[in-house]
Amino acid sequence: MRVPRNWLCEYVDVREVDADELADRLTLAGLEVEDVQAYPSLEGVVAGTVLAVEEHPHADKLTVCTVESPGGERQIVCGAPNVAPNQRVAFAPPGTRLPGGVVEEARLRGVDSAGMILSRAELGLEAKSAGIWVLPEYVQPGQELQELLETPDVVFDLSITSNRPDLLGILGIAREVAALLELPLREPSVDYPEAGRPAQELVRVDIESPEECPRYVARLIHLSQGGDSPLWLQSRLLKAGMRPLSPVVDITNYVMLELGHPLHAFDRSRLPKQVLGVRRARPGERLTTLDGVDRELPGESLLITAGDKPVAVAGVMGGEETEVGKDTASVLLEAACFSPTRVRRSARALGLRTEASLRFERGLSAEAAERASRRCCALLTEVTGAQVAPGAADAYPAPQSPRAVRLRKARISHVLGTEIPEGEVVRVLSSLGLAPQEAGDVWQVSVPPERGDLTREIDLIEEVARIYGYKTIPSLAPRVPPTLGAKDPREVFSDHVRNTCAALGLSEVITTSLAPGDEAQVALRNPMAQGQEGLRGGLLPGLLSVVGHSLDTQTPGAALFEVGHVFSRADGRLEEREVLGVVLVGRPPFPLSGKLAYGLAHLKGVWEKLLSALHVEGLHLGQCDHGWLHPGRRAMLQAAGRRVGWMGEVHPDLCSQFPGRFRVQALEVEVQALREARVPPAHDPLPRYPVSKRDLSLVGPRDVPEERLREAIFAEKLVEDCFLYDLYEGERIGAGQRSLTYELTFRHPERTLASEEVEEAVSRIVARLSPLGMKLRS
């Protein structure tokens, strides 16, 4: 937001305040000043008249002009393409100091030149100009331009936060300055004469969705003269970063910069009908906007229509067909309020951002529309002599009213840590346009609609602190020692999982929760970038991307884990789960491991050690049909009959992009399932009696899950441990068969076992295995 100081002085007199000091005060109050640009004096620059223009004898792109100035007629060599006789121009005689240097007499291509005909760029008012600046006819020949152009001047470039749309107008900045410096604030005039038929009889406004357009004010204005905008108005627009075009457009832009509320002027003669509407775009509708681009209007767009024909994109840009031109005799002036969300979606869908959309997107008050409309009419009558029809077609279904926020007196000192006099609090709030009414120990503060950022008591306290001055609040040590809050038990367990995985030699990674649309079960309405259209349904894709990057850098192997959130839909509801993911690939980074690559046994070892360290019981392996895994090397993780994860070898198709031939082992499990299956650690005293060990070789059907064999073995109360150390499948035992050899450990808690008791226990185990088709291998 560019704020010229001379323009600011129209509302609050800061001529005697140093520019750097004012910039510091504004920055400390939360209005960050990013730059201070000085416009030097233009003393010596006068209005001259071009009497004649002749071709340069030695240059095609130069002309020789005769200019009448206070010092008489002068010969000037000019390179501007738009110079012509009888023009009123800005002229700098030799010796004049300009932003680019001092003007001197010169000889250009053999022709003497005694001065310069100036463009706006040479005057420092814009970065680049297409030609000389042709001044309005009312400027008198020989008149000094310094006063008309309001120089010298200083422009403050402010960064306005998104919650303060009221500061996107210079009057809003002036109110802040007046409060900071304790100076009176002058409000701009909104009074003007009216004549003719009332506007309500000539135009009607229909709003299809009041929630997207809370208010629409239309006024009718008859123009009485053409010409250019006055120099003071053009100069202010240029310093604020906008280019002057025509009186009507310039004044609507001026009011937008002054009050922060955008306006739009339609050529009334070009409107199809005098019935304006506000509605959403329909399929196939098109509009050529003011920038000359024919646009297809998406359904996200909110339109202004005349006779149901689109004439503008609400809050973004008007249509070229109804643009105000030099021959415009009657104007329909729009001042409206649109939904910030709808304007943002319209601008994004069209790829079109404007000064108007910037302001509407931040949320403007419907009450401000009427004032902006009246201010524009007041300037039009003052500058152009326009005639305004009485009244307005004002569609305002649900009028806004000031909010009342309760402010406790004692709360101010409690929050700020210092006592602020009550009179100073009332002064600060009143200077900001807030109206405090005392009611005992509290103030009832009336907040105007344009201050949508003030909704709570703490917001008002912050306003008091800002204007009173943060530097005046003393720095004190806290009276109460700080205490740390306890972590949620779920976070504590997640940290335990991370620490355990790290202790097992795994490296933690953190990948993004965003995923391509074809991989996500949950889509985002407004994705930030291509390839991030949804939320991830699992950790494996992100972990594989890290694996790929590691292998690309010729890392021999990787053992990774991540604890993160995944997202899915169930019965139309969004579900978010915390999941542990583990990936093993390549060679283990351990000494003496040689070229042994990670396999399923390593993955299962990590899984079992994790369960042991976390004291988790009751999780079992089951049949799995997960498409990410190899069909013959996968298992489901189950708890209480519910699927809580999976483990196995990643499908070769997902690893095809990796350099070399690598097998990737992976698992995912819900952290909540691990937490719920955790049992308190128990202490068992050291056994007093020795163990007896027996080897048990079994043969039986291959499709019998090994887990069921273990269940039958551990059903024997004397069995303390069961270790599978040999597995054989081959022709020697027949097709569809397999051989398993276990080392069984037997122990009695109260005495030493006899050999006969161990043999009887083995017989009972064999008997339990027989229904499963298992028998002793001979």
Side-chain angles (χ1 to χ4, degrees), residues 474-557:
S475 299
L476 301 174
R479 299 178 182 177
V480 179
T483 58
L484 296 177
K487 273 192 173 183
D488 187 279
R490 292 171 296 183
E491 295 182 27
V492 174
F493 183 78
S494 297
D495 290 342
H496 189 21
V497 171
R498 291 186 177 92
N499 293 335
T500 302
C501 290
L504 293 175
L506 307 179
S507 299
E508 184 176 12
V509 299
I510 300 175
T511 62
T512 179
S513 298
L514 302 174
D518 56 351
E519 296 180 9
Q521 298 183 31
V522 179
L524 298 176
R525 287 186 177 178
N526 53 343
M528 300 296 292
Q530 187 176 2
Q532 298 181 352
E533 296 85 4
L535 299 175
R536 64 185 176 187
L539 300 181
L540 183 60
L543 289 171
L544 288 181
S545 67
V546 178
V547 167
H549 179 73
S550 299
L551 296 178
D552 286 340
T553 59
Q554 299 184 353
T555 304

XYZ file of all heavy atoms in Angstrom, residues 474-557:
603
model
N 6.824 -1.640 30.388
C 8.112 -2.069 30.952
C 8.312 -3.574 30.807
O 7.361 -4.354 30.802
C 7.997 -1.659 32.425
C 6.524 -1.619 32.692
C 5.881 -1.163 31.424
N 9.595 -3.954 30.684
C 9.957 -5.367 30.616
C 10.205 -5.869 32.031
O 11.109 -5.381 32.725
C 11.214 -5.563 29.753
O 10.980 -5.129 28.438
N 9.407 -6.808 32.456
C 9.514 -7.341 33.814
C 9.708 -8.839 33.762
O 9.182 -9.522 32.877
C 8.253 -7.019 34.619
C 7.902 -5.525 34.782
C 6.558 -5.372 35.480
C 8.991 -4.800 35.556
N 10.459 -9.351 34.727
C 10.615 -10.804 34.834
C 9.292 -11.411 35.263
O 8.531 -10.806 36.035
C 11.699 -11.140 35.846
N 8.960 -12.599 34.773
C 7.693 -13.225 35.162
C 7.644 -13.487 36.659
O 8.642 -13.875 37.268
C 7.682 -14.533 34.351
C 9.101 -14.768 33.959
C 9.733 -13.426 33.828
N 6.498 -13.226 37.254
C 6.346 -13.398 38.688
C 6.145 -14.859 39.083
O 6.412 -15.245 40.198
C 5.154 -12.572 39.178
C 5.318 -11.073 38.936
C 4.085 -10.314 39.394
N 4.213 -8.880 39.129
C 3.262 -7.992 39.379
N 2.103 -8.398 39.895
N 3.452 -6.722 39.105
N 5.633 -15.649 38.164
C 5.369 -17.056 38.452
C 6.338 -17.883 37.623
O 6.474 -17.642 36.416
C 3.909 -17.433 38.108
C 3.661 -18.897 38.380
C 2.953 -16.552 38.904
N 7.060 -18.834 38.222
C 7.982 -19.649 37.416
C 7.220 -20.432 36.358
O 6.131 -20.954 36.629
C 8.624 -20.582 38.458
C 7.683 -20.583 39.608
C 7.043 -19.228 39.626
N 7.763 -20.487 35.173
C 7.065 -21.220 34.111
C 7.012 -22.710 34.402
O 7.936 -23.287 34.979
C 7.908 -20.926 32.866
C 9.268 -20.610 33.404
C 9.036 -19.935 34.716
N 5.932 -23.316 34.050
C 5.764 -24.763 34.217
C 5.470 -25.376 32.860
O 4.832 -24.756 32.009
C 4.617 -25.081 35.192
O 3.409 -24.478 34.694
C 4.925 -24.537 36.582
N 5.949 -26.573 32.684
C 5.727 -27.292 31.437
C 4.516 -28.200 31.587
O 4.395 -28.929 32.581
C 6.964 -28.124 31.065
C 8.245 -27.336 30.760
C 9.387 -28.282 30.485
C 8.015 -26.434 29.562
N 3.652 -28.169 30.629
C 2.517 -29.067 30.641
C 2.930 -30.482 30.268
O 3.907 -30.698 29.552
N 2.204 -31.436 30.788
C 2.513 -32.841 30.502
C 2.061 -33.194 29.095
O 1.078 -32.654 28.583
C 1.833 -33.740 31.521
N 2.792 -34.089 28.466
C 2.409 -34.554 27.146
C 1.210 -35.488 27.236
O 1.021 -36.192 28.229
C 3.571 -35.296 26.489
C 4.536 -34.420 25.728
C 5.481 -35.266 24.881
C 6.335 -34.397 23.996
N 7.209 -35.200 23.109
N 0.437 -35.500 26.169
C -0.662 -36.447 26.065
C -0.086 -37.868 26.035
O 0.952 -38.116 25.416
C -1.461 -36.166 24.788
C -2.716 -37.005 24.707
O -2.603 -38.179 24.314
O -3.792 -36.487 25.017
N -0.733 -38.826 26.736
C -0.218 -40.204 26.731
C -0.019 -40.764 25.331
O 0.893 -41.580 25.106
C -1.294 -40.982 27.496
C -1.941 -39.959 28.374
C -1.909 -38.686 27.605
N -0.843 -40.352 24.384
C -0.659 -40.840 23.024
C 0.652 -40.325 22.418
O 1.346 -41.057 21.715
C -1.841 -40.407 22.162
C -3.155 -41.084 22.550
C -4.338 -40.477 21.825
N -4.540 -39.077 22.208
C -5.530 -38.322 21.777
N -6.419 -38.821 20.924
N -5.657 -37.079 22.168
N 0.990 -39.060 22.702
C 2.259 -38.526 22.212
C 3.437 -39.217 22.883
O 4.464 -39.476 22.246
C 2.320 -37.026 22.472
C 1.288 -36.210 21.710
C 1.447 -34.724 21.974
O 2.576 -34.289 22.285
O 0.446 -34.004 21.902
N 3.300 -39.509 24.169
C 4.382 -40.198 24.886
C 4.638 -41.560 24.259
O 5.791 -41.957 24.040
C 4.026 -40.343 26.382
C 5.071 -41.189 27.102
C 3.914 -38.969 27.033
N 3.560 -42.282 23.926
C 3.743 -43.606 23.333
C 4.359 -43.496 21.937
O 5.226 -44.289 21.563
C 2.402 -44.335 23.261
C 2.517 -45.738 22.729
C 2.982 -46.763 23.532
C 2.190 -46.019 21.414
C 3.106 -48.057 23.037
C 2.308 -47.298 20.915
C 2.766 -48.325 21.731
N 3.921 -42.491 21.162
C 4.509 -42.302 19.831
C 6.001 -42.011 19.935
O 6.801 -42.519 19.136
C 3.793 -41.162 19.105
O 2.434 -41.468 18.890
N 6.396 -41.216 20.929
C 7.822 -40.959 21.136
C 8.549 -42.245 21.503
O 9.694 -42.470 21.075
C 8.013 -39.921 22.242
C 7.554 -38.528 21.821
O 7.412 -38.304 20.597
O 7.329 -37.684 22.706
N 7.894 -43.096 22.291
C 8.494 -44.377 22.677
C 8.700 -45.247 21.437
O 9.738 -45.925 21.298
C 7.588 -45.078 23.690
C 8.188 -46.297 24.314
N 9.546 -46.529 24.352
C 7.603 -47.375 24.919
C 9.784 -47.680 24.958
N 8.613 -48.215 25.298
N 7.730 -45.229 20.525
C 7.864 -46.001 19.288
C 9.054 -45.479 18.479
O 9.865 -46.259 17.952
C 6.564 -45.923 18.467
C 6.760 -46.529 17.082
C 5.431 -46.629 19.190
N 9.171 -44.160 18.365
C 10.292 -43.587 17.612
C 11.637 -43.959 18.232
O 12.580 -44.346 17.534
C 10.145 -42.066 17.554
C 8.990 -41.557 16.713
C 9.033 -40.036 16.619
N 7.987 -39.517 15.757
C 6.790 -39.139 16.202
N 6.497 -39.207 17.497
N 5.874 -38.685 15.362
N 11.732 -43.837 19.558
C 12.993 -44.154 20.228
C 13.352 -45.630 20.066
O 14.523 -45.980 19.889
C 12.897 -43.798 21.714
C 12.769 -42.306 21.945
O 13.195 -41.503 21.113
N 12.165 -41.920 23.053
N 12.345 -46.497 20.104
C 12.601 -47.921 19.944
C 13.100 -48.232 18.540
O 14.049 -48.994 18.346
C 11.323 -48.726 20.247
O 10.880 -48.436 21.575
C 11.572 -50.212 20.110
N 12.445 -47.650 17.540
C 12.882 -47.869 16.151
C 14.313 -47.367 15.952
O 15.118 -48.012 15.270
C 11.930 -47.177 15.191
S 10.302 -47.927 15.073
N 14.645 -46.209 16.537
C 16.002 -45.693 16.415
C 17.001 -46.621 17.091
O 18.108 -46.848 16.588
C 16.083 -44.291 17.006
N 16.611 -47.197 18.240
C 17.487 -48.126 18.942
C 17.699 -49.407 18.143
O 18.725 -50.084 18.305
C 16.907 -48.449 20.318
N 16.759 -49.759 17.274
C 16.900 -50.948 16.431
C 17.745 -50.681 15.186
O 17.868 -51.557 14.332
C 15.509 -51.455 16.021
C 14.641 -52.017 17.148
C 13.253 -52.365 16.629
C 15.297 -53.239 17.764
N 18.283 -49.475 15.062
C 19.156 -49.164 13.943
C 18.458 -48.538 12.755
O 19.054 -48.407 11.676
N 17.209 -48.133 12.924
C 16.464 -47.512 11.824
C 16.649 -45.998 11.875
O 16.765 -45.410 12.953
C 14.980 -47.860 11.924
C 14.620 -49.342 12.031
C 13.114 -49.508 12.145
C 15.150 -50.116 10.849
N 16.631 -45.366 10.720
C 16.758 -43.915 10.618
C 15.387 -43.303 10.354
O 14.665 -43.751 9.448
C 17.718 -43.535 9.485
O 19.011 -44.065 9.726
N 15.033 -42.263 11.120
C 13.717 -41.646 10.968
C 13.706 -40.670 9.802
O 14.662 -39.925 9.589
C 13.308 -40.911 12.233
C 11.900 -40.332 12.156
C 11.440 -39.685 13.447
O 12.285 -39.484 14.333
O 10.236 -39.388 13.557
N 12.638 -40.686 9.025
C 12.414 -39.717 7.957
C 11.040 -39.114 8.153
O 10.178 -39.683 8.825
C 12.524 -40.370 6.558
C 13.897 -40.938 6.333
C 11.469 -41.451 6.367
N 10.848 -37.946 7.580
C 9.542 -37.275 7.611
C 9.192 -36.901 6.185
O 9.926 -36.158 5.538
C 9.564 -36.023 8.498
C 9.926 -36.388 9.938
C 8.216 -35.312 8.460
C 10.085 -35.189 10.858
N 8.101 -37.430 5.665
C 7.667 -37.149 4.305
C 6.374 -36.352 4.336
O 5.690 -36.285 5.358
C 7.482 -38.444 3.502
O 6.459 -39.242 4.128
C 8.777 -39.249 3.460
N 6.029 -35.762 3.215
C 4.842 -34.902 3.147
C 3.555 -35.707 3.222
O 3.490 -36.856 2.759
C 4.848 -34.066 1.859
O 3.664 -33.261 1.816
C 4.907 -34.947 0.624
N 2.540 -35.095 3.822
C 1.222 -35.728 3.896
C 0.420 -35.545 2.620
O -0.655 -36.127 2.488
C 0.424 -35.149 5.074
O 1.070 -35.401 6.289
N 0.923 -34.731 1.671
C 0.216 -34.477 0.427
C 0.612 -35.511 -0.609
O 1.766 -35.947 -0.664
C 0.530 -33.072 -0.076
C 0.179 -31.941 0.899
C 0.655 -30.616 0.360
C -1.314 -31.912 1.161
N -0.341 -35.902 -1.439
C -0.110 -36.955 -2.421
C -0.826 -36.613 -3.718
O -1.765 -35.809 -3.727
C -0.608 -38.297 -1.882
N -0.401 -37.207 -4.838
C -1.121 -37.000 -6.100
C -2.566 -37.467 -5.992
O -2.898 -38.357 -5.207
C -0.315 -37.848 -7.103
C 1.038 -37.991 -6.491
C 0.814 -38.028 -5.016
N -3.420 -36.856 -6.797
C -4.845 -37.153 -6.717
C -5.187 -38.606 -6.963
O -6.102 -39.163 -6.339
N -4.442 -39.298 -7.876
C -4.769 -40.689 -8.176
C -4.304 -41.647 -7.087
O -4.673 -42.825 -7.104
C -4.161 -41.106 -9.522
C -2.652 -40.876 -9.557
O -2.124 -40.237 -8.617
O -2.009 -41.321 -10.527
N -3.516 -41.178 -6.125
C -3.054 -42.033 -5.040
C -3.800 -41.749 -3.735
O -3.651 -42.497 -2.772
C -1.553 -41.818 -4.802
C -0.666 -42.229 -5.972
C 0.800 -41.982 -5.669
O 1.097 -41.657 -4.500
O 1.635 -42.137 -6.579
N -4.570 -40.671 -3.686
C -5.188 -40.233 -2.436
C -6.653 -40.642 -2.379
O -7.356 -40.629 -3.382
C -5.063 -38.723 -2.290
N -7.083 -41.029 -1.179
C -8.502 -41.292 -0.942
C -9.252 -40.029 -0.543
O -10.471 -39.979 -0.639
C -8.659 -42.347 0.169
C -8.052 -43.700 -0.153
C -8.313 -44.711 0.943
O -9.337 -44.650 1.612
N -7.388 -45.629 1.136
N -8.519 -39.029 -0.096
C -9.116 -37.771 0.341
C -8.567 -36.660 -0.545
O -7.360 -36.406 -0.560
C -8.799 -37.491 1.819
C -9.412 -36.159 2.247
C -9.295 -38.619 2.703
N -9.431 -36.000 -1.318
C -9.013 -34.939 -2.231
C -9.125 -33.583 -1.545
O -9.962 -33.381 -0.664
C -9.877 -34.957 -3.490
N -8.253 -32.655 -1.951
C -8.274 -31.289 -1.438
C -9.042 -30.384 -2.393
O -8.925 -30.519 -3.610
C -6.849 -30.766 -1.272
C -5.957 -31.518 -0.278
C -4.551 -30.947 -0.302
C -6.521 -31.444 1.128
N -9.793 -29.451 -1.848
C -10.549 -28.528 -2.692
C -9.642 -27.507 -3.373
O -9.897 -27.095 -4.492
C -11.594 -27.793 -1.849
C -12.774 -28.661 -1.448
C -13.825 -27.807 -0.744
N -15.012 -28.583 -0.397
C -16.050 -28.093 0.255
N -16.052 -26.821 0.623
N -17.086 -28.842 0.544
N -8.601 -27.085 -2.672
C -7.713 -26.047 -3.233
C -6.257 -26.490 -3.104
O -5.532 -25.977 -2.251
C -7.931 -24.709 -2.528
C -7.821 -24.845 -1.018
O -7.887 -25.933 -0.467
N -7.637 -23.734 -0.357
N -5.826 -27.464 -3.907
C -4.428 -27.925 -3.818
C -3.461 -26.801 -4.144
O -3.731 -25.947 -4.978
C -4.363 -29.062 -4.844
C -5.494 -28.794 -5.788
C -6.578 -28.151 -4.974
N -2.315 -26.814 -3.485
C -1.321 -25.762 -3.647
C -0.442 -25.977 -4.866
O 0.111 -25.033 -5.407
C -0.437 -25.672 -2.396
C -1.208 -25.351 -1.131
S -1.980 -23.722 -1.191
C -0.534 -22.685 -1.165
N -0.282 -27.229 -5.307
C 0.626 -27.498 -6.416
C 0.210 -28.799 -7.094
O -0.521 -29.614 -6.535
C 2.072 -27.591 -5.932
N 0.663 -28.970 -8.327
C 0.412 -30.199 -9.060
C 1.136 -31.355 -8.364
O 2.264 -31.223 -7.910
C 0.908 -30.066 -10.493
C 0.538 -31.244 -11.384
C 0.963 -31.011 -12.822
O 1.560 -29.995 -13.133
N 0.668 -31.951 -13.683
N 0.449 -32.499 -8.276
C 1.007 -33.644 -7.578
C 0.715 -33.636 -6.097
O 1.149 -34.536 -5.377
N -0.037 -32.631 -5.621
C -0.409 -32.549 -4.208
C -1.905 -32.286 -4.088
O -2.355 -31.449 -3.325
C 0.385 -31.438 -3.513
C 1.878 -31.653 -3.519
C 2.622 -30.542 -2.803
O 2.042 -29.533 -2.418
N 3.917 -30.713 -2.614
N -2.678 -33.063 -4.865
C -4.123 -32.823 -4.921
C -4.899 -33.506 -3.803
O -6.096 -33.312 -3.676
C -4.683 -33.302 -6.264
C -4.176 -32.559 -7.485
C -2.866 -33.099 -8.018
O -2.399 -34.119 -7.459
O -2.324 -32.539 -8.974
N -4.247 -34.356 -2.991
C -4.962 -35.080 -1.952
C -4.065 -35.380 -0.760
O -2.896 -34.978 -0.696
N -4.650 -36.093 0.214
C -3.934 -36.514 1.409
C -3.586 -37.993 1.297
O -4.394 -38.792 0.823
C -4.783 -36.264 2.650
C -5.161 -34.805 2.914
C -6.106 -34.710 4.100
C -3.919 -33.961 3.159
N -2.406 -38.352 1.751
C -1.910 -39.710 1.557
C -2.744 -40.725 2.321
O -3.239 -40.465 3.418
C -0.450 -39.797 2.012
C -0.250 -39.537 3.503
C 1.216 -39.508 3.859
N 1.392 -39.153 5.276
C 2.580 -38.921 5.826
N 3.682 -38.994 5.084
N 2.675 -38.602 7.111
N -2.879 -41.915 1.727
C -3.583 -43.014 2.385
C -2.643 -43.979 3.052
O -3.082 -44.898 3.753
N -1.326 -43.852 2.850
C -0.336 -44.721 3.470
C 1.026 -44.065 3.426
O 1.261 -43.091 2.700
N 1.954 -44.603 4.230
C 3.301 -44.046 4.298
C 4.238 -44.610 3.249
O 5.283 -44.010 2.977
C 3.905 -44.310 5.684
C 3.161 -43.731 6.890
C 3.919 -44.081 8.164
C 3.014 -42.235 6.771
N 3.885 -45.762 2.641
C 4.826 -46.443 1.754
C 5.271 -45.583 0.564
O 6.473 -45.549 0.260
C 4.230 -47.765 1.277
C 5.154 -48.615 0.401
C 6.425 -48.967 1.156
C 4.444 -49.866 -0.091
N 4.382 -44.871 -0.169
C 4.871 -44.075 -1.306
C 5.934 -43.058 -0.921
O 6.945 -42.900 -1.615
C 3.597 -43.405 -1.826
C 2.489 -44.316 -1.416
C 2.904 -44.855 -0.085
N 5.733 -42.369 0.196
C 6.731 -41.403 0.628
C 8.040 -42.060 1.019
O 9.128 -41.566 0.703
N 7.961 -43.203 1.722
C 9.182 -43.908 2.107
C 9.920 -44.433 0.886
O 11.156 -44.401 0.832
C 8.830 -45.055 3.050
C 8.373 -44.642 4.455
C 7.847 -45.843 5.225
C 9.521 -43.998 5.220
N 9.184 -44.901 -0.126
C 9.839 -45.392 -1.340
C 10.536 -44.254 -2.086
O 11.575 -44.461 -2.717
C 8.816 -46.065 -2.248
C 8.281 -47.425 -1.777
C 7.291 -47.989 -2.783
C 9.414 -48.416 -1.549
N 9.960 -43.055 -2.026
C 10.634 -41.925 -2.683
C 11.966 -41.622 -1.997
O 12.958 -41.282 -2.658
C 9.733 -40.687 -2.660
O 9.558 -40.207 -1.340
N 12.020 -41.757 -0.658
C 13.274 -41.559 0.060
C 14.259 -42.666 -0.285
O 15.455 -42.422 -0.482
C 13.021 -41.504 1.578
C 14.337 -41.347 2.336
C 12.082 -40.371 1.924
N 13.752 -43.920 -0.394
C 14.609 -45.037 -0.783
C 15.204 -44.787 -2.167
O 16.404 -44.996 -2.399
C 13.807 -46.355 -0.764
C 14.584 -47.470 -1.468
C 13.487 -46.761 0.663
N 14.376 -44.338 -3.111
C 14.867 -44.070 -4.458
C 15.958 -43.018 -4.460
O 16.967 -43.152 -5.159
N 15.756 -41.945 -3.658
C 16.780 -40.905 -3.590
C 18.076 -41.455 -3.006
O 19.169 -41.134 -3.479
C 16.280 -39.745 -2.743
C 17.269 -38.625 -2.581
N 17.578 -37.751 -3.595
C 18.031 -38.265 -1.513
C 18.487 -36.884 -3.165
N 18.776 -37.181 -1.917
N 17.966 -42.318 -1.988
C 19.159 -42.896 -1.374
C 19.908 -43.782 -2.351
O 21.137 -43.725 -2.462
C 18.768 -43.690 -0.124
O 18.162 -42.856 0.833
N 19.170 -44.602 -3.099
C 19.823 -45.493 -4.046
C 20.427 -44.714 -5.209
O 21.447 -45.135 -5.766
C 18.811 -46.530 -4.560
C 18.258 -47.480 -3.493
C 17.244 -48.430 -4.106
C 19.370 -48.272 -2.822
N 19.803 -43.601 -5.588
C 20.369 -42.781 -6.663
C 21.730 -42.217 -6.278
O 22.557 -41.927 -7.151
C 19.418 -41.626 -7.011
C 18.204 -42.108 -7.784
O 18.273 -43.210 -8.360
O 17.184 -41.390 -7.797
N 21.946 -42.017 -4.986
C 23.243 -41.506 -4.516
C 24.205 -42.642 -4.193
O 25.194 -42.434 -3.490
C 23.034 -40.624 -3.279
O 22.386 -41.395 -2.247
C 22.176 -39.424 -3.606
N 23.894 -43.869 -4.677
C 24.745 -45.049 -4.544
C 24.919 -45.466 -3.086
O 25.957 -46.017 -2.700
C 26.102 -44.810 -5.196
C 25.999 -44.524 -6.694
C 27.349 -44.380 -7.362
O 28.376 -44.357 -6.689
N 27.347 -44.315 -8.672
N 23.918 -45.222 -2.258
C 23.916 -45.755 -0.900
C 23.657 -47.253 -0.980
O 22.694 -47.680 -1.635
C 22.832 -45.071 -0.058
O 23.037 -43.657 -0.097
C 22.866 -45.560 1.374
N 24.465 -48.087 -0.326
C 24.289 -49.544 -0.485
C 23.023 -50.083 0.141
O 22.550 -51.159 -0.233
C 25.534 -50.117 0.203
C 25.966 -49.061 1.162
C 25.624 -47.752 0.516
N 22.446 -49.380 1.086
C 21.235 -49.872 1.721
C 20.624 -48.822 2.606
O 21.210 -47.772 2.875
